[in-house]
Structure formats: structure tokens, C-alpha cells
Amino acid sequence: MATQSEAALEKSLINKLVEGGYQRVKITDEDSLKTNFKTQLEKFNKVELEDAEFNQILTFLEGGTVYDKAKKLRDRYPLQREDGTCYIKFLNKRDWCKNLFQVTNQITLEGKYKNRYDVTILINGLPLVQIELKKRGIELKKAFNQINRYQYHSFSGLFNYVQIFVISNGVNTKYYANNKNLSFKYTFYWKDKDNKNISNLEEFAECFLERCHLSKMITKYIVLNETEKALMVLRAYQYYAVEAILDKALNTTHNGYVWHTTGSGKTLTSFKVSKILAENPKIDKIIFVVDRKDLDYQTTKEFNSFSEDSVDGTDHTKALVKQLAGTEKLIITTIQKLTRAVERHEKRLDGVKNKNIILMFDECHRSQFGEMHKKITEFFTNLQYFGFTGTPIFAVNANKNRTTHDIFGEQLHNYVIKDAINDQNVLGFHVEYFSTMKTKAILDIDVEDINRKEAMEADERLEKIVDFIIVNHKRKTFNKEFNAIFAVSSVKVLKKYYDLFKSKEHDLKIATIFSYDDNEEIKDEKHSREKLDDYIGDYNELFGTNFSTDTFDQYYVDVAKRSKDKQIDILLVVNMFLTGFDNKFLNTLYVDKNLKYHNLIQAFSRTNRLLNEKKMQGNIFCFRNLKKFTDDAIQLYSDKDASEVILMKPYEEYVKDFNEVLIELIKLTPDIYDVDDLPSEIEKKEFVRIFRELLRIITRLYIFTEFDFNDLDIEEQTFEDYKSKYLDLYEEVKSYNKTEKDSILDDIDFEIELIRRDDINVAYIITLLKELDYNSTSFDKDKKFILDAMEGSHELRSKLELIERFINDNIPEIGDKEEIESEFETFVEKERNNAVSELIDDEKLQKMVAKGIIAEYEFSGKIRNDLIKESFTEELGLLERRSKVQKIRDRIIDLVDKFSW
């Protein structure tokens, strides 16, 4: 049977659009395009235009870049007429369904070369969507390359008003915004709400190209980036998130949150929904809340890049109060400043506290789970709040505290890390685990009789790591074309690392930034602030700046900027820059600290922003054994059904627990000052144990909105006084424990050795097969995780049925988990032999010749048609032989793909 031609595909699409309400119109060239535009413009604006007036409009539309034209499209033209000014609209942005929709094909334009465009969608007479088709069997990228060629060779005049390009070969269909210098990586599949690709052209036409939806995408969901002077169109998951928040905000009083994996464009999504809400007269204020002041600058800058001067960052609480009390509708601030504002300026904010306020949280992490969140949400009486997060807090990683669901309510949409990697919207991770020491002693975190911390912070170990980084950094960053962050366990260790880098011969530009405690105990020769000033001095000398810790905020901004500009090769940090920092040139993370769950994903995700063909993945060098933590984190944040519910006791029971433990405290130390008279180390340890339990319970109590200190059998000030005693005594008790630990440094041989490498993509996830336990309660969930990952992978989808059969038929029978890998190899080989025999029998081929063809293809990737013909055992006509050769080629390719591991 003949394959569908490009012309047939084109005709089928046009018929589909006409069935959906598009007017079919014949436009052959630029002149007929303008004639049609005049007719549609008159109809849309309900006005008749003289030729001279229409020419004025064309002159207005001619000037500027594609970006400038996108602005004109959304503006009105003041046409001067004898009876006054008539404002000509080109687009109905509010009632987008009321635009006029047409479809045509094969318009011919001549620039440097003559080109004919496949299918053009016109809205109000302007060509706003261009669709390029390739027949089935041709790779999609050829359509993308063709559009790029059109832009250079013939796009001109009204075709520079195209907002969206669509490319399709019938089975795969993608869309993207009209910009020059695009990469194929920035083309997107449309999806349904469950993130399943709608790739078939007919289905795509039904949903994405449906008149109202397409017009809505153009009028509402294209963003004009001021900084880049470029158009950006929302991806499907961003669209669904915005729509879900709008529905909740405008039609209910409920809150909610969006889980979109780190690096998938949450800032653009949050900006778009905030902007739309700010334009709604029902809403009085949109307050965009970020977690730390070091994010204030970055988020303000990003918001303003989408719309110039749309947001003014607030430097001081008084400035924020002025904005809250003023007419600004969209405000960006930090949770710390907003808390101070409602605490200290309640009277000045009296006029705004009852208004319709929406809080938009940039990141739903733990800072929103405490007292500040409670004070803000209790102050405003008519409030809704929504949050965005790439790493929600679930039951498994909540540490018995509240989950994101507890604070923000319903999860409105999700787009998990597996989705983003599969869609190539973020990069995968390449993780290498290195052993840094050899010892006969057991280095286990639970072993109390050895000084594990001493070994991890030993100078010799740190020096080996520094030497390793100096030798390998250029290789992993393409000779410093990219840069890196080095995350370490503490400020103390960071200072050691920095001084080691400084003492070595290399050409790497090292910078650091960290927070410090003004009242810290000075154990070294210098306070941490003094050391940071020394390091900032090195930075000033390197870059000709003049910062100090007195200008810490400005230093932070400069470090961020120079890192993004590739002026810093390695940035040494403890916690800063591991969340919320986007640097597309960052491709490497060195890790010498323990990370788990959301903290691990956030840190790793600093490296996975898309950039170019060279940046293939984020490189992670782990100098600690984070393998189990990495597996757990990837699996959790690929699980769309992760449990959000923690079984917590009622508030009253925690109050009861607290008061019962309090009795023990009062019995041991009836008065605060009795703590000073505790007779021995045993009683002091007991006091620490009891008070630590009280702190644990009160942490649970703080998360309840009904918490009131008056419910406890101790006054708040008395409790705080006891806490002061506890903190001082805790340090003393810790020193007892230190003396009991044996040093193991003499038993350790420090060296860097690669112990494991994982590519965290779908191939990595399949390795979890070896860890499946049929008797585990999580077996079904673990199995589903593996199969879902394969379903989402082009590379592994063909092997899905094979893996599922192996899991169902073999895993229950394998007693020793160590045998799984060898059993799997045996299973695959057996299935492969059966498949080869089936192919030979079905197609009536000579056995040895057919097996030779398959072996040759496995070795060289080549299939010889003459050998396929030689393998035939029956006489066939010319057309039959040709058809059968192609069929066998396809079957061999599928077979080898399925059984190659």
C-alpha cells in the first residue's frame, strides 16, 4: 500500500480545520494576502477603509523586528479620519473567540528565493500561524529546517507577524514561537493534562488548532521577553498550571500549589498567572513572595524581563508598606519583609488587610511552613495563596512535619522530573560517585565510637579532592566553556577548601560566598566574617571590585552575575546558590556534603538547564556515598502519586504530650536556676534529653493554626529561659561525647577512586530492576515506576513488554537478588532466539543467511538488501520482493533494538 503523500496530509489537515469552523480562502501571493487582510480588517473593526487609509495601516505595520511587530499586533492604530480618530484593532485579546479565522495553503512569496508555504492560518487577515508538513516517514527536523530557511530567504511583510510555527510529519507534531536563531530543542509537543504527548496531527488539530484555543494561546499565552526581545510561548504543562490557578482564584476561595520540576520554567509560569490576575478587576493585589532576600533581585529581574517595569523590588520594609497601601497591583517581596510589614505597620495597612489579596509563593518549601507564614495568612482576611515548587514536601520526606499539601492544599498540576528529561526540557544527570578514603575501620554515621566527622574533614582528604578537581575540571567543562558549583558540608570545611585551592598552582577562578553567625565561637584564628572579608578581598583583586561584608547583598548580586557570565570557574558554597539560582552555563556540581530528597534534587538541578548541543547533561561529582539518597530522590520526584498525607495526632494530644514531659522537667529542675546546680554529667544529660523532647513536640505544635502558648503548663518566657540554659548546656554535653570517640585518621589511606557512575535518565532507572523485591510491600509501586519510566522513553519503549514479562514471570521465582542480573541476561537471550526463529519461520527465510544478516546489523548497523533477497526460499515478483525486503529490514531493526541491552 502506498504511503500518504505530503499533499494528501495537507489536504486532510485543511479539511479538518474547515470542519472546525475555519473559513477556507484561496490566497496565492503577497498581493492577494493584502487584499484579504483589508477585507478581514474592515469586517473585524466594522469599518470601511479607503485605500489611502489602508496604506497608512500597512505603513504602520511594516516597521521593526518580529518582536516589534508582536507588540503592534497587540496594540491599536490611531487612524486619523475626517470625522475624528478611529482606533483600528488587529486582535481581540479579551474575547479571543471573537476573532476571525481563515486557512489557506501554498502561498508563494519571493525574496532571495521563491518559496511556497504549506498551510497558513490567518486571524483577522494576518498570517499568525504557519504550518509546515513533511510526509510520513520523513524526520520532523526537516520541517524545522525548512522554516528556518524561509526566515532567511523569503519571509517578509505580513508574514513577519507569524506568532507560532507548527511542524508535523503526521505522526509527530510540535509547535514553537517565531524567533530567529532557534534550536530544535526549543520545539514542544502539546500534551493533555496528564502530560501525555498529543503528537498525531489530526489530534493536534482538534485540540491545539481549535479556533478558540489557538487564539487564546496567541492572545494570552505568548510572552514578550523584554530582555531578549523575543517571543516565548507557554508549554502545555505551563498552560494547564496557569489555567488551574486562574480557575481556583477567580471561582473559588481555595488555595493550591503547582509541582513542576526544577528547571522547567516556573518563573515564566508564575509571571504569566500573576500578570493575568493583576489585570482582573476582582483582584486588588498580587503579592509575589520569595523566600530569601538574595532571590529578590533575581526574581525581580526575571519578571521585568518578561514585561519591562512590571515589578519594582522592595529594598526596605517601609517601601513595601508604601506599595501595599498604594495603587500597585503586582508587588514582589520576601517572606521576611512581608512578615515584618504586617507585624510592625498594622495601622498603616489597615486599609489593605480586608482587600482581595492573592499571595503567589515562588517556592513552597519549609520557610512557608512556620511562624512567618502563619502571621501573614492570619493578617489578611480575604486571602488566597498559591505556590510553585519543583520539590514538594511529601509524607516520606516531611520528617513528621507538615507536607506541602497541608499548607497549600490541593495539587493543581504536576510535571515531574521524568517528564521534563523525556521531553528534553531539562537535561539528565551524569552522576559519578568517588570513594575518598580506604580504611579498615567502619565509617558509618550510626557508629558512635569513632570520629567520623574528623575523618571526613581531614586535611589530607580535602587536599586529595582539591587535586582531583584541578586535574579534571577542564575536561568536564569543555576547557572552561561551562562552570561549576562546589557544595560543601560547613563553613569550617569551606574555609579549608578555599585555602587549599589558593595554595595550589592552577588557572581556575575560585570565588565563595556564605552566611556567618556574628556571635559564633571563634575556634580558628579568625571569625568567619573576617575570613569572608579576606576571600572577598581576593575577589576584589581578581575583578577590580570594592565589596566587603558590609555590602554583602551587592556582593551576592555580583557573584551571581559573574557566575552567569562565566567569569567564575568554581563557586564554593555551603547552602547558598543551591536553590533558585539559574545559570545556563553551569554544567558541573562537586558535592562533599550529605543531601537528601528535595535538597538533593534542588542542588543537582542547578546543572540541568538547556543551552546548546555541547551541554549534554549535568555532571555531578559526589565525594560522598549519596547513591541511595540519589535513587530515593529521583524515584520520589518521578512519582506523581507520592503520598501527601501524614497521619498526625490531633492538636490536643500534642498539648497533652508536652505537658506530660514538662512534669519530668519540673521534677528534675523546678526552677530555671536549678539547672546550674545539676550535680553530675548524668543529670545534665537527662536535662538535655527531656528538653530536647519538649522542643520536638513544640515544633509539631507550631504548625497548627490553633496553637496558643496558653494551652501549655508553662509561660512562654519561662520556656525561653529554660531553652537558653538548654542551648548552653547542650554544647557542654556534646564535648563529653567528643572525648569518648576514637580518632581513626591513622587507619585511613586517603585517595580518590571512582566507585560508581550513573546516567540519571531512563537507562539509569532500569538498573533499579536489580533492586526489585517481590516480597516487599513496595513491589507494585517499584515495578510501576520502572515501567512508567520506560513508557516515557523513546530509547526503551520497545523493550517495555519484555521487561514487564520478566518482572511478572521471573522475579517471583528468583530467591537470591544477586542472581537477577544473570537471570535477566538468560531470559533476554532466550527471547531473542525465539524472536529470530519466529522471523525466519514467518517470512520463510534461509536460516543461516538470515542469522548472518542479523549478526552483521548488530555489528555494523548495516543491512544488505542483496543478502535479504538471497535468504528468500520462494519465488516472488519484483514488487513483492521489494515490499518483502523492506518488511524484513523493518523487522530486523525492531528485533535488534528490542533485544540490545
Side-chain angles (χ1 to χ4, degrees):
M1 189 176 98
T3 59
Q4 185 182 32
S5 68
E6 187 176 314
L9 192 64
E10 185 177 300
K11 183 179 178 182
S12 175
L13 172 62
I14 291 172
N15 290 340
K16 187 79 179 174
L17 296 176
V18 171
E19 287 173 15
Y22 283 83
Q23 177 195 0
R24 177 78 161 92
V25 61
K26 186 170 179 60
I27 298 173
T28 57
D29 54 23
E30 190 167 12
D31 288 339
S32 56
L33 178 65
K34 289 179 180 177
T35 301
N36 178 75
F37 175 43
K38 182 176 183 293
T39 303
Q40 294 299 99
L41 198 61
E42 289 174 330
K43 187 177 177 181
F44 178 62
N45 284 278
K46 298 183 173 73
V47 64
E48 288 188 17
L49 297 170
E50 299 289 341
D51 287 345
E53 292 173 333
F54 181 62
N55 287 333
Q56 285 182 44
I57 294 170
L58 288 178
T59 301
F60 165 74
L61 292 174
E62 277 177 9
T65 63
V66 169
Y67 176 80
D68 297 326
K69 286 179 167 63
K71 283 192 160 185
K72 291 180 183 181
L73 175 68
R74 291 158 176 80
D75 203 353
R76 297 184 302 168
Y77 175 64
L79 179 63
Q80 303 300 322
R81 314 186 84 184
E82 289 183 5
D83 56 352
T85 302
C86 173
Y87 286 93
I88 300 297
K89 288 198 309 180
F90 305 104
L91 204 57
N92 190 331
K93 296 185 292 182
R94 186 176 297 275
D95 297 318
W96 46 83
C97 289
K98 293 183 179 179
N99 290 299
L100 306 176
F101 303 89
Q102 297 173 302
V103 61
T104 189
N105 66 319
Q106 297 299 314
I107 297 178
T108 302
L109 288 187
E110 190 160 359
K112 187 174 181 181
Y113 302 100
K114 183 184 288 188
N115 289 299
R116 285 191 302 178
Y117 310 142
D118 289 348
V119 178
T120 305
I121 289 177
L122 304 113
I123 299 180
N124 306 329
L126 283 168
L128 298 189
V129 180
Q130 182 59 40
I131 305 169
E132 286 303 313
L133 304 173
K134 291 296 173 189
K135 69 177 182 180
R136 298 173 190 272
I138 302 296
E139 65 174 308
L140 192 59
K141 194 170 183 181
K142 288 189 180 296
F144 174 81
N145 293 338
Q146 186 169 339
I147 286 178
N148 280 354
R149 179 169 60 81
Y150 289 164
Q151 286 184 312
Y152 285 105
H153 289 169
S154 63
F155 263 15
S156 61
L158 297 180
F159 265 87
N160 280 322
Y161 279 86
V162 168
Q163 302 291 288
I164 293 174
F165 289 116
V166 175
I167 51 177
S168 179
N169 58 12
V171 293
N172 280 323
T173 306
K174 301 179 86 173
Y175 72 101
Y176 56 101
N178 180 11
N179 290 305
K180 288 191 175 180
N181 304 319
L182 267 176
S183 165
F184 187 68
K185 286 185 175 182
Y186 290 93
T187 60
F188 317 123
Y189 286 106
W190 189 249
K191 297 172 176 288
D192 63 17
K193 285 186 179 179
D194 297 321
N195 297 317
K196 182 180 178 182
N197 287 351
I198 298 173
S199 53
N200 177 277
L201 180 58
E202 186 172 353
E203 293 179 27
F204 183 87
E206 285 179 358
C207 56
F208 188 88
L209 297 180
E210 188 276 326
R211 292 176 307 157
C212 285
H213 177 80
L214 181 64
S215 186
K216 186 179 188 180
M217 289 299 297
I218 290 171
T219 58
K220 198 172 175 182
Y221 291 120
I222 284 182
V223 174
L224 277 59
N225 187 307
E226 292 280 354
T227 302
E228 303 291 334
K229 303 298 180 190
L231 278 61
M232 304 172 72
V233 60
L234 264 62
R235 304 172 194 191
Y237 59 88
Q238 294 173 312
Y239 166 86
Y240 290 122
V242 173
E243 289 282 295
I245 291 177
L246 291 177
D247 179 60
K248 281 284 184 287
L250 300 177
N251 301 313
T252 76
T253 57
H254 298 150
N255 309 313
Y257 78 94
V258 169
W259 171 20
H260 283 180
T261 191
T262 305
S264 61
K266 293 192 295 296
T267 301
L268 176 60
T269 314
S270 58
F271 162 78
K272 178 43 73 176
V273 72
S274 299
K275 193 81 168 132
I276 293 172
L277 287 170
E279 292 167 357
N280 192 295
K282 291 183 182 179
I283 309 298
D284 293 309
K285 299 276 183 187
I286 307 290
I287 305 174
F288 194 86
V289 184
V290 295
D291 175 49
R292 303 186 309 272
K293 64 183 179 181
D294 54 35
L295 278 178
D296 200 11
Y297 168 81
Q298 180 177 332
T299 310
T300 301
K301 185 172 180 289
E302 288 188 44
F303 262 47
N304 284 332
S305 75
F306 300 137
S307 182
E308 198 168 15
D309 298 325
S310 65
V311 181
D312 291 320
T314 55
D315 294 328
H316 305 287
T317 304
K318 287 184 179 178
L320 172 60
V321 171
K322 186 177 179 181
Q323 284 186 315
L324 289 170
T327 58
E328 292 98 331
K329 288 199 72 172
L330 184 53
I331 299 167
I332 182 169
T333 189
T334 64
I335 191 170
Q336 292 86 353
K337 281 186 284 192
L338 188 56
T339 305
R340 291 198 300 270
V342 300
E343 279 183 324
R344 302 175 188 176
H345 302 276
E346 187 173 351
K347 287 186 178 179
R348 287 189 62 191
L349 296 178
D350 212 36
V352 74
K353 69 183 298 183
N354 299 320
K355 288 191 173 182
N356 191 354
I357 304 289
I358 290 184
L359 295 183
M360 200 70 65
F361 287 95
D362 174 67
E363 180 62 51
C364 314
H365 44 48
R366 293 186 184 275
S367 62
Q368 270 78 56
F369 289 25
E371 194 67 20
M372 288 188 288
H373 180 93
K374 182 180 175 184
K375 286 176 180 175
I376 292 168
T377 53
E378 286 180 350
F379 177 81
F380 295 106
T381 60
N382 188 14
L383 176 73
Q384 279 179 280
Y385 47 92
F386 301 95
F388 291 82
T389 181
T391 50
I393 305 300
F394 294 117
V396 68
N397 62 318
N399 194 25
K400 298 183 181 178
N401 289 311
R402 303 185 82 180
T403 65
T404 304
H405 177 270
D406 292 331
I407 303 298
F408 286 90
E410 182 185 354
Q411 185 187 120
L412 302 180
H413 192 256
N414 63 46
Y415 182 72
V416 302
I417 190 168
K418 183 184 69 176
D419 296 324
I421 292 175
N422 183 51
D423 290 342
Q424 297 182 338
N425 284 330
V426 299
L427 301 172
F429 303 116
H430 181 75
V431 186
E432 294 179 284
Y433 303 93
F434 292 88
S435 170
T436 56
M437 59 184 78
K438 289 184 177 180
T439 176
K440 294 179 181 179
I442 300 172
L443 277 183
D444 191 302
I445 201 162
D446 296 324
V447 177
E448 293 294 335
D449 61 342
I450 60 172
N451 195 336
R452 185 178 191 279
K453 187 169 182 286
E454 180 190 27
M456 298 302 287
E457 296 178 4
D459 292 343
E460 188 181 350
R461 174 180 177 273
L462 304 190
E463 186 171 10
K464 292 283 187 184
I465 291 172
V466 167
D467 290 340
F468 176 86
I469 291 173
I470 290 171
V471 168
N472 288 279
H473 181 80
K474 290 182 181 179
R475 178 174 58 87
K476 283 296 184 181
T477 59
F478 291 89
N479 200 27
K480 303 201 292 185
E481 187 172 328
F482 303 100
N483 54 12
I485 284 178
F486 188 2
V488 303
S489 57
S490 67
V491 172
K492 175 187 174 184
V493 172
L494 183 149
K495 289 186 285 188
K496 286 186 173 185
Y497 269 125
Y498 186 96
D499 292 342
L500 281 165
F501 273 113
K502 191 173 178 179
S503 69
K504 302 281 184 178
E505 286 290 329
H506 58 80
D507 62 352
L508 300 176
K509 293 178 181 176
I510 310 294
T512 187
I513 187 167
F514 53 85
S515 55
Y516 50 84
D517 181 357
D518 283 330
N519 299 314
E520 72 177 32
E521 180 183 354
I522 303 177
K523 295 180 179 178
D524 303 323
E525 73 282 2
K526 285 187 176 181
H527 186 279
S528 291
R529 178 171 182 175
E530 293 178 85
K531 289 292 285 185
L532 181 56
D533 267 319
D534 289 344
Y535 301 151
I536 294 174
D538 294 339
Y539 184 93
N540 291 335
E541 186 176 340
L542 187 62
F543 295 114
T545 51
N546 189 29
F547 298 110
S548 70
T549 53
D550 291 329
T551 55
F552 184 88
D553 289 352
Q554 294 95 312
Y555 175 61
Y556 177 94
V557 170
D558 200 71
V559 168
K561 185 176 183 303
R562 292 185 191 277
S563 181
K564 291 181 180 185
D565 291 343
K566 296 192 294 182
Q567 296 180 47
I568 296 170
D569 294 316
I570 300 175
L571 179 61
L572 261 169
V573 300
V574 178
N575 294 311
M576 298 180 101
F577 286 87
L578 295 183
T579 61
F581 176 62
D582 291 339
N583 172 11
K584 61 188 178 182
F585 292 107
L586 184 72
N587 83 329
T588 299
L589 176 72
Y590 303 109
V591 184
D592 187 23
K593 67 181 298 183
N594 290 330
L595 294 167
K596 293 177 69 175
Y597 292 123
H598 49 287
N599 292 325
L600 183 145
I601 294 293
Q602 286 279 359
F604 281 21
S605 296
R606 296 313 98 211
T607 67
N608 73 343
R609 301 305 190 266
L610 296 178
L611 179 60
N612 54 29
E613 302 301 325
K614 265 190 182 178
K615 191 177 180 185
M616 300 295 292
Q617 74 269 319
N619 299 315
I620 315 295
F621 287 79
C622 289
F623 300 112
R624 298 193 179 207
N625 188 6
L626 301 183
K627 167 64 179 167
K628 176 70 165 60
F629 294 154
T630 302
D631 287 351
D632 290 346
I634 294 292
Q635 184 157 349
L636 176 63
Y637 287 111
S638 294
D639 182 2
K640 297 179 181 182
D641 300 315
S643 175
E644 298 185 299
V645 178
I646 299 174
L647 297 178
M648 295 186 68
K649 294 189 292 187
Y651 170 73
E652 293 76 17
E653 288 196 32
Y654 284 112
V655 171
K656 180 183 176 185
D657 290 345
F658 182 93
N659 289 331
E660 286 178 354
V661 176
L662 184 64
I663 292 171
E664 294 183 54
L665 179 75
I666 300 304
K667 184 177 179 181
L668 180 65
T669 52
D671 186 85
I672 296 159
Y673 295 102
D674 290 335
V675 178
D676 300 334
D677 299 326
L678 289 171
S680 72
E681 180 187 315
I682 295 172
E683 284 81 4
K684 289 176 182 178
K685 282 187 176 180
E686 180 66 6
F687 172 81
V688 167
R689 183 196 65 77
I690 293 170
F691 201 85
R692 186 167 52 202
E693 179 64 13
L694 288 175
L695 287 174
R696 188 189 67 80
I697 298 170
I698 207 166
T699 300
R700 305 285 185 275
L701 286 168
Y702 281 141
I703 66 178
F704 288 93
T705 54
E706 63 264 44
F707 174 63
D708 187 335
F709 224 101
N710 293 324
D711 294 336
L712 307 180
D713 295 339
I714 187 172
E715 291 184 0
E716 186 171 4
Q717 184 58 61
T718 306
F719 181 79
E720 291 298 319
D721 291 345
Y722 269 111
K723 188 163 77 172
S724 295
K725 291 289 185 184
Y726 163 79
L727 291 171
D728 291 338
L729 195 59
Y730 178 73
E731 290 297 321
E732 182 182 335
V733 171
K734 270 205 317 186
S735 68
Y736 301 153
N737 291 337
K738 280 183 182 179
T739 61
E740 296 169 3
K741 292 183 180 180
D742 297 328
S743 172
I744 57 167
L745 292 185
D746 292 340
D747 299 325
I748 297 176
D749 175 21
F750 292 99
E751 64 177 66
I752 307 293
E753 179 186 357
L754 178 65
I755 57 171
R756 188 179 181 103
R757 176 185 290 120
D758 279 327
D759 284 320
I760 300 185
N761 48 28
V762 288
Y764 148 80
I765 294 173
I766 292 301
T767 63
L768 296 177
L769 184 67
K770 291 180 286 186
E771 298 172 18
L772 274 177
D773 183 355
Y774 182 69
N775 297 313
S776 169
T777 56
S778 67
F779 175 79
D780 289 337
K781 183 179 176 182
D782 294 340
K783 169 187 165 184
K784 183 177 183 298
F785 174 74
I786 292 172
L787 298 179
D788 286 350
M790 295 183 72
E791 178 65 35
S793 165
H794 175 74
E795 176 190 351
L796 292 170
R797 198 176 295 132
S798 64
K799 312 175 198 301
L800 178 61
E801 180 267 340
L802 195 67
I803 284 285
E804 188 167 14
R805 275 198 294 117
F806 176 75
I807 292 173
N808 292 338
D809 299 343
N810 295 63
I811 293 289
E813 307 299 325
I814 300 174
D816 187 353
K817 288 174 67 175
E818 296 300 318
E819 296 177 5
I820 286 179
E821 188 168 5
S822 61
E823 289 286 339
F824 178 66
E825 290 173 359
T826 302
F827 170 79
V828 170
E829 183 62 24
K830 179 182 175 183
E831 292 296 316
R832 178 191 176 282
N833 292 338
N834 290 341
V836 170
S837 298
E838 184 179 330
L839 170 63
I840 291 169
D841 293 342
D842 286 351
E843 303 297 340
K844 299 181 175 58
L845 304 177
Q846 293 184 43
K847 187 173 182 180
M848 296 312 296
V849 177
K851 285 188 174 182
I853 295 168
I854 294 169
E856 172 63 23
Y857 178 63
E858 287 177 322
F859 175 73
S860 68
K862 296 177 182 178
I863 300 177
R864 288 174 53 186
N865 289 354
D866 58 330
L867 289 179
I868 293 178
K869 292 173 185 175
E870 281 184 25
S871 70
F872 293 171
T873 59
E874 55 185 351
E875 290 295 325
L876 300 171
L878 179 63
L879 291 178
E880 286 179 301
R881 286 168 67 85
R882 185 180 298 167
S883 175
K884 187 165 184 175
V885 166
Q886 186 58 50
K887 182 181 178 184
I888 292 170
R889 284 180 66 93
D890 291 343
R891 287 193 66 173
I892 290 173
I893 290 169
D894 290 344
L895 185 150
V896 172
D897 180 51
K898 181 175 182 179
F899 293 101
S900 60
W901 292 86

